[in-house]
Amino acid sequence: MSSIKVGRNDACPCGSGKKHKQCCLQVRQQAAPLPKTQGGAMGSPAELLSQAIQLFVQGHDEAAASRCQAVLQRVPSQPDALHLCGLIGLRQGRPLEALQFIDRALSSEPANDTMHSNRGIVLQALGRHEEALTSLRRALDLDPRGIAAWTHQGLSLMALLRLDEAELSFRAGLDLAPSDAAALNGLGQCLLRAGRLDEAARVLTQACIADPQSVTARTNLGVVHAALGRHEEALVDFQQLVALAPDRAESWDRLGGLLQEMGEAEPARDAFTRAYQLEPQPARLLRKSLVLSHVHRSLESMREERQQFEAQLEALLAAPAAPAEFDMSSFLPGIFSLAYQGDDVLPALRKLATLYLKLFPGLAWTAPHVTRPADGGRGLRIGFFTSYVHDHAVAHCFAPLMQALVENAGFEIHLISHRQLPLGEGRRPYAGYTGRFVEVSDRLTDARQEIAALELDILVYQDIGMEALSYFLGFARLARLQCVMGGHPVTTGLPEMDVHLSSSLGEPDDAQAHYSERLVMLDAIPASCEQPTLPSRFKSKLELGLPSEGNLYVCPVMLQKIHPDFDRAVAGILEADPHGYVVFFKHASLPLDRHLRSRFEQTIAPELRERVLFLPWVRNRDDFAAINALAAVILDPFHFGIGSTAATTMAVATPFVTLPGKFLRGRVGLAYARMLEVEACVAIDAADYVRKAVQIACDPALRDRLSAGIQENRSRFFDNQAYLAQIRGYLASGREGPGAAPRKLMDN
């Protein structure tokens, strides 16, 4: 096990109390090869123990154990032999056996700090961190200079989420040895867990310099770089990782995950395949088999990839598979990508749910209170699970609803997340929230228990499917009624989701056929946002790096939403308006614009491509509002269109053009147009979309008329009382609960 590999500055495993480099490492470097023995180990106990230590340092565990056993046959309580047997057991993955040996050693030498330190490391391996702390503190009482004890004490404190204490422990070790790679790596991990990413990157860089061969430090540095959005640096880290440990499956997992996030589907599949070849596991089988691109090279390649995805899914369902222990890394980002392709996702999502339950039957879990009669003597207990409690579009859409429900005397509201509720400006969407906030574990089994302990009548998922924990929680029955809201406006395909709250303003007539949940239609947009505060003066085109002349056709969405079908509309607009520019926004950190530019080279003529602009991602709200205000028209892309960013568009009253798709995710623009009573913005086909976009941009009177309509009616979105009242009424009615048996609505 990597946790007991002996570094040069670690305590020597022989129990001398010296550093390894000052003790047995010298023996290893200076000693001649061991003589072969006939008929087993020979020599005095001292000679045998010396041989055992040398063999252990060289990695020959079986031979070292044989020498130790020979010593113990003659001197059963010899502490150094017992201690070394414990270290061998730990390295070979037998921590309980290791603990027994080290406890026997300590009975003879109770004041040996190295043995207490290694006992703490064994207890860490067993997950018994409170006991580990007791042993590590005893080691430090005996020798405060024990760097390994300070480091491992920090690791146990970190496992117990006592991050401030963990940081102090790591720093105490670094005060003794500022370049100790293990302590630097531990501190870097601690800073990562605390969300102090820039500090973590600096410390982990030092750890990699201190020990260029450290797989753990290089892994952690790559994770931090990716979390900071520095994906090119993370790619270098993970490429170095697979060079350091090419036979380690996790190295290839890391590389594959990053490549997939960067939109490099084929290299990601190759990396996942290599990981599976090294260590075949269900999660790796899923990852290598079900990879999808973020931005597709062409319509044909998108369809080919989708066919391959569905064929692999069918093959996995048909193949025999033994139930396995759940692995969170089995989550497939492709679940999210499927929705961008413009096709019905329900069949694939249902099959995927069936596959997960086949591989991980433990996902189907029921909270104990659900099977008992409801407590009619209290208010309705409602939980809202979200992955986005920080300054995020989902939070901005649903925070007003949360506060409105808190003010209802008949409701007991719980906002639930595995993310910490931020402090300061980052908390802005929930700054006025006065209900209860419940932070749960990011481990599935713990999170289920913690939510079950709330004994909810209704559990509402605001954004299920956008990340792993919310998706896998959705397989469990944690409340009598379980609902889905439109943070991700797509069905889940999950058998335990009862109701999907949607809007008749956007859904097509055959909408129910595309949902595994029963649709509950609201007569309003199912969101309510605070109206953005606009600056007193917008920046000019020049200040924002935009062309000073010509109409701006701005498409303010993530590049994953730019379907190949939309390319023809972009080209058509640029052909019809020879002085116009189509403006996209780069991803904040991923090189998705590179893939989209490459596709445009095949679908848009060179003279037109010169007027396709990719602006850097705009984090400043005032600048984003200014770009929306300077736009002649906002382009709502095909199949998966504009969402919460429409709040800024409405605030500046810029007209938009939209072409309704087959599913709600491509019809939100239609819903906005109906709500705002500007249905002149709605196209009937792609050619009409181009005509309307250019007409709005080039006809000031039409543009002003549409802008006035948006200004007149936008309060229906920013002060969406109809939505708040309808949600409040639906939840209060308890149509499927509390007290009603859970309904499985897979066969709509």
Side-chain angles (χ1 to χ4, degrees), residues 444-691:
L444 178 66
T445 53
D446 293 342
R448 287 191 310 205
Q449 293 285 355
E450 290 159 359
I451 296 173
L454 300 175
E455 298 195 354
L456 299 173
D457 298 306
I458 302 174
L459 176 57
V460 183
Y461 289 88
Q462 292 182 0
D463 41 72
I464 193 168
M466 293 175 69
E467 55 81 52
L469 184 62
S470 68
Y471 179 72
F472 289 125
L473 282 171
F475 282 85
R477 172 60 62 175
L478 300 174
R480 294 179 174 85
L481 174 65
Q482 302 195 143
C483 306
V484 181
M485 297 188 78
H488 182 46
V490 180
T491 186
T492 65
L494 300 179
E496 295 297 341
M497 290 296 106
D498 303 315
V499 166
H500 198 116
L501 299 169
S502 189
S503 172
S504 59
L505 292 176
E507 290 285 3
D509 292 339
D510 63 344
Q512 184 61 75
H514 308 132
Y515 288 86
S516 58
E517 310 84 12
R518 183 170 65 81
L519 274 179
V520 170
M521 297 285 202
L522 308 178
D523 296 330
I525 294 287
S528 179
C529 287
E530 178 184 352
Q531 184 165 347
T533 301
L534 300 178
S536 58
R537 183 190 77 85
F538 288 129
K539 288 182 180 178
S540 67
K541 289 183 177 181
L542 182 63
E543 290 173 299
L544 293 165
L546 294 166
S548 57
E549 302 293 334
N551 291 319
L552 300 179
Y553 298 82
V554 175
C555 189
V557 301
M558 303 291 278
L559 295 182
Q560 297 97 311
K561 292 185 177 182
I562 308 304
H563 191 282
D565 285 345
F566 194 58
D567 298 9
R568 187 176 299 176
V570 172
I573 289 168
L574 295 172
E575 287 175 351
D577 184 351
H579 303 293
Y581 294 83
V582 174
V583 179
F584 295 102
F585 293 86
K586 296 179 182 178
H587 192 279
S589 58
L590 300 176
L592 302 185
D593 61 296
R594 183 174 67 205
H595 302 293
L596 191 56
R597 290 175 196 267
S598 177
R599 191 177 81 208
F600 284 169
E601 289 177 2
Q602 307 301 317
T603 58
I604 300 176
E607 64 275 12
L608 301 179
R609 286 203 309 273
E610 294 176 355
R611 291 184 283 122
V612 176
L613 307 180
F614 288 87
L615 297 184
W617 185 255
V618 179
R619 297 186 184 277
N620 183 286
R621 289 189 179 86
D622 290 348
D623 289 352
F624 186 67
I627 294 169
N628 273 261
L630 291 168
V633 65
I634 297 296
L635 300 181
D636 184 23
F638 300 168
H639 303 305
F640 199 132
I642 198 167
S644 58
T645 53
T648 302
T649 300
M650 292 183 209
V652 299
T654 300
F656 57 93
V657 61
T658 185
L659 175 62
K662 297 178 182 178
F663 313 103
L664 178 67
R665 56 189 178 273
R667 299 170 65 88
V668 176
L670 170 65
Y672 287 146
R674 287 173 170 171
M675 176 190 69
L676 296 168
E677 298 183 21
V678 289
E679 294 187 61
C681 296
V682 181
I684 59 173
D685 56 31
D688 189 42
Y689 181 96
V690 171
R691 284 194 298 272

Side-chain angles (χ1 to χ4, degrees), residues 175-325:
D175 286 342
L176 296 167
S179 298
D180 185 84
L184 286 166
N185 182 52
L187 177 59
Q189 285 181 278
C190 183
L191 294 169
L192 170 61
R193 293 287 295 273
R196 293 156 60 184
L197 299 181
D198 289 314
E199 294 175 77
R202 289 193 294 271
V203 170
L204 289 166
T205 298
Q206 294 174 21
C208 290
I209 293 170
D211 183 1
Q213 302 302 309
S214 173
V215 169
T216 305
R218 184 61 62 183
T219 300
N220 289 331
L221 183 58
V223 170
V224 170
H225 279 151
L228 284 167
R230 292 154 57 178
H231 288 82
E232 295 295 340
E233 292 174 76
L235 181 59
V236 172
D237 291 325
F238 291 146
Q239 287 170 337
Q240 291 180 356
L241 180 63
V242 297
L244 283 172
D247 296 327
R248 182 172 174 264
E250 186 184 343
S251 302
W252 293 98
D253 284 335
R254 294 285 188 183
L255 179 60
L258 180 70
L259 288 167
Q260 184 172 29
E261 188 177 356
M262 295 175 71
E264 303 288 351
E266 287 305 319
R269 184 178 288 109
D270 292 342
F272 288 143
T273 299
R274 179 62 179 145
Y276 180 74
Q277 290 169 343
L278 288 167
E279 287 186 23
Q281 293 177 355
R284 292 194 173 102
L285 177 62
L286 290 174
R287 285 198 296 270
K288 84 175 186 68
S289 303
L290 303 174
V291 176
L292 288 172
S293 302
H294 294 320
V295 176
H296 296 277
R297 297 189 304 274
S298 65
L299 186 62
E300 293 72 23
S301 70
M302 185 190 77
R303 289 172 175 165
E304 180 181 340
E305 189 178 80
R306 177 65 176 265
Q307 290 172 356
Q308 182 180 1
F309 179 93
E310 293 184 351
Q312 291 282 1
L313 186 55
E314 290 284 2
L316 291 171
L317 277 169
E325 184 177 351

